[in-house]
Amino acid sequence: MTAEPTQTQEAAEKAADSNTNRRQPFPQGFLDTISTGWADRPDTLPAAREQAPFTARRRAAVSAAFAGRRLVVPAGGFKQRSNDTDYPFRPHSAFAHLTGWASDAVADSLLVFDPTDDGHDVTLYLRDRATRETEEFYRDATIGEFWVGPRPSLAAVAADLGVATEHLERFEAGEDDLVVEEDDELTTFVSELRLIKDDYEIAQMQLAVDTTARGFDDIVRELPRIIDHPRGERVIEGVFHLRARSDGNWEGYDTIAAAGPHACYLHWTRNDGAVRPGDLVLIDAGVEVDSLYTADITRTLPVSGTFTPIQRRIYETVREAADAAFENARPGMSFRELHDTAMRVIAERTAEWGLLPVTPEEALDADRGGHQRRYMVHGTSHHLGLDVHDCAQARREMYYEGLVEPGMVFTIEPGLYFQEDDLTVPEEYRGIGVRIEDDILMTADGPVSLSAGIPRTADEIEAWIAQSR
Ligand code: GLY
Ligand code: MN
Ligand code: MN
């Protein structure tokens, strides 16, 4: 017995996208038989994932703040890299935060809050698994099962995330919908909702830091190979990438592997330079784990294993600034004060070395000073979480001018950077860049460094390299 044809060759060809110059035709025999002969799919449902109770509380907070309004939180879609090649899909952080659907989320999904008399009905709209009667599963190279693997069913996603699901085709946009990234008030709210991390998030941040620590160990172990290669910075990036992909989802941001004077470029991600004995190499890298929380760690290593006296002096000054910020950190302080504490050390030491044309006090004057910032133009701290620069749409009074509270996770990352061509510093300083970056959890009892286990003092760094040889 032959199956009824489910579609004609003509219709199938018409549905093909514009890129037909290399496409194999689907002859009638294929079309007549492709929908049949498949086993039933198992319909066992997964248990709810660990973060489901946490995401339910986050959705309740959103619902309470926007009574009577219809809200849409898009996962986002594929972004083209070139021609028919996309960047790997990564859902929007607000979507991941409110659904718990992270590295395994399906592109183009929408989390929708429909207002009711006493709150909202929340529904996750996603593209349902294509049946064998459609042509999607064998023809669509972007989302088809034969090409990228199957999507989960609506029922499986509902059970997994603890949220009602619906087919994406049933979604209808409303004129008054508030949409994340389109409506400022909602976008700010979901960003500020992430300022304080819950217990699940704190555990994931620790996991991200611990995985990142293994990536740094890998780099230290591979130093001989890194030195041998003409583009040793790329080898650093690659070694870390292997750890990020094998143990996590990806890097939370492009790895900075900056040797010698490249370290003075704050976000050097070209990473195409050599790593030479005698130089320092600054490595700023963070693993994003499968839940999409990321670490953000910087260590600066002496490539030959020991710091020269001038490298050590600069390195230990940066550490002094970082330690001062950490020791001064406490709940209730302003975020700005963290930066000011580190800056005071930077101003005092650079003045002591004769680099500033003014006294440290004058340099620290908020309006007329800032001379020391020539050597550290960036801030000391930022929030960290699902995004490396987390809570980016929070209001300034909730962030830079806001107060540090228990449950916040942020970086402390002072640095000193003396450009190769900076005539204001003695020659021995030129071309040296140092940053030390740690990930800090504030608790009611004070700060806890999530990255305390990664060697940090000049002596510890030298011992780390010596031990791995
Ligand atoms: N890795 C970027 C930053 O430290 O902010
Ligand atoms: Mn950072
Ligand atoms: Mn960083």
Side-chain angles (χ1 to χ4, degrees):
M1 197 176 108
T2 39
E4 283 295 301
T6 55
Q7 53 205 312
T8 65
Q9 196 163 352
E10 189 190 10
E13 294 306 332
K14 207 171 137 206
D17 66 23
S18 59
N19 187 5
T20 54
N21 56 1
R22 64 190 158 79
R23 222 175 262 284
Q24 297 286 316
F26 290 113
Q28 198 59 52
F30 173 90
L31 297 172
D32 288 349
T33 54
I34 189 63
S35 297
T36 57
W38 305 107
D40 287 342
R41 300 177 197 259
D43 53 8
T44 46
L45 297 179
R49 63 179 67 183
E50 187 190 348
Q51 58 267 53
F54 295 93
T55 58
R57 281 197 282 277
R58 298 171 201 158
R59 291 192 295 273
V62 173
S63 173
F66 289 89
R69 300 305 306 264
R70 188 168 192 252
L71 313 173
V72 180
V73 187
F78 290 103
K79 291 189 176 66
Q80 183 189 31
R81 180 171 187 272
S82 181
N83 186 33
D84 60 354
T85 306
D86 294 326
Y87 290 104
F89 172 68
R90 196 274 196 194
H92 192 285
S93 293
F95 178 88
H97 189 238
L98 294 171
T99 59
W101 217 12
S103 62
D104 55 341
V106 171
D108 299 322
S109 301
L110 301 167
L111 183 69
V112 178
F113 293 67
D114 280 300
T116 61
D117 288 345
D118 59 350
H120 290 84
D121 285 336
V122 183
T123 308
L124 177 58
Y125 289 82
L126 64 137
R127 222 177 260 118
D128 197 3
R129 197 155 58 179
T131 68
R132 305 299 193 192
E133 276 70 46
T134 67
E135 60 181 44
E136 179 208 291
F137 80 99
Y138 67 84
R139 182 183 277 280
D140 191 321
T142 308
I143 59 169
E145 179 170 338
F146 270 17
W147 298 83
V148 298
R151 291 190 295 278
S153 68
L154 295 184
V157 174
D160 182 3
L161 303 177
V163 67
T165 51
E166 225 0 304
H167 195 298
L168 188 59
E169 284 170 2
R170 300 243 168 85
F171 172 75
E172 282 179 29
E175 253 182 32
D176 298 327
D177 291 356
L178 303 182
V179 183
V180 169
E181 296 289 353
E182 292 173 19
D183 178 77
D184 288 347
E185 197 191 343
L186 178 60
T187 305
T188 299
F189 185 87
V190 295
S191 197
E192 291 180 357
L193 189 61
R194 308 209 310 262
L195 283 165
I196 309 244
K197 271 63 180 175
D198 57 36
D199 289 348
Y200 173 79
E201 295 181 289
I202 290 166
Q204 290 299 305
M205 294 299 298
Q206 186 68 68
L207 178 67
V209 169
D210 293 347
T211 312
T212 299
R214 290 201 293 280
F216 274 87
D217 282 336
D218 298 338
I219 292 166
V220 169
R221 202 178 318 113
E222 292 289 349
L223 269 176
R225 184 151 74 98
I226 289 161
I227 294 166
D228 275 350
H229 197 285
R231 294 205 296 187
E233 292 176 346
R234 284 286 167 89
V235 181
I236 291 174
E237 180 188 314
V239 166
F240 193 79
H241 185 67
L242 176 61
R243 182 60 71 176
R245 285 295 283 162
S246 53
D247 292 12
N249 180 53
W250 204 272
E251 291 91 339
Y253 53 94
D254 289 342
T255 295
I256 297 165
H262 288 164
C264 301
Y265 304 127
L266 303 176
H267 284 177
W268 175 261
T269 54
R270 210 187 300 165
N271 301 346
D272 60 357
V275 176
R276 297 187 179 88
D279 280 346
L280 297 178
V281 60
L282 182 157
I283 302 154
D284 184 341
V287 173
E288 175 188 90
V289 291
D290 289 332
S291 58
L292 303 182
Y293 289 85
T294 188
D296 180 11
I297 303 288
T298 307
R299 289 294 183 264
T300 307
L301 314 174
V303 176
S304 356
T306 49
F307 292 93
T308 65
I310 182 71
Q311 288 170 348
R312 182 177 270 266
R313 186 196 310 165
I314 296 167
Y315 185 91
E316 287 291 89
T317 294
V318 173
R319 184 168 72 85
E320 185 190 345
D323 287 351
F326 181 80
E327 281 153 22
N328 194 40
R330 62 195 182 282
M333 80 188 299
S334 82
F335 211 73
R336 178 162 45 86
E337 213 185 315
L338 270 177
H339 176 71
D340 293 346
T341 310
M343 263 305 155
R344 170 164 292 281
V345 174
I346 298 293
E348 283 171 357
R349 293 290 166 262
T350 51
E352 227 174 82
W353 299 339
L355 308 185
L356 301 187
V358 295
T359 65
E361 287 314 319
E362 288 166 327
L364 289 166
D365 184 278
D367 297 321
R368 289 185 304 283
H371 304 76
Q372 79 288 355
R373 296 218 30 212
R374 180 186 183 100
Y375 312 118
M376 179 187 154
V377 296
H378 61 78
T380 305
S381 280
H382 57 80
H383 283 277
L384 183 66
L386 285 164
D387 283 318
V388 60
H389 298 147
D390 210 31
C391 313
Q393 286 94 4
R395 289 163 292 168
R396 189 172 174 86
E397 64 263 34
M398 295 293 287
Y399 199 134
Y400 187 62
E401 304 292 347
L403 301 184
V404 174
E405 292 179 51
M408 287 184 171
V409 176
F410 50 86
T411 65
I412 292 182
E413 51 173 309
L416 271 171
Y417 313 88
F418 301 109
Q419 307 287 332
E420 230 179 349
D421 55 353
D422 191 337
L423 304 180
T424 70
V425 301
E427 218 171 314
E428 60 172 348
Y429 287 77
R430 294 181 202 161
I432 295 181
V434 172
R435 177 163 65 254
I436 304 172
E437 178 170 26
D438 286 284
D439 299 343
I440 311 299
L441 164 70
M442 183 54 74
T443 74
D445 301 326
V448 174
S449 174
L450 302 178
S451 46
I454 307 176
R456 196 167 160 282
T457 69
D459 288 344
E460 285 167 1
I461 298 271
E462 288 180 353
W464 190 21
I465 297 172
Q467 214 174 22
S468 71
R469 292 222 161 128

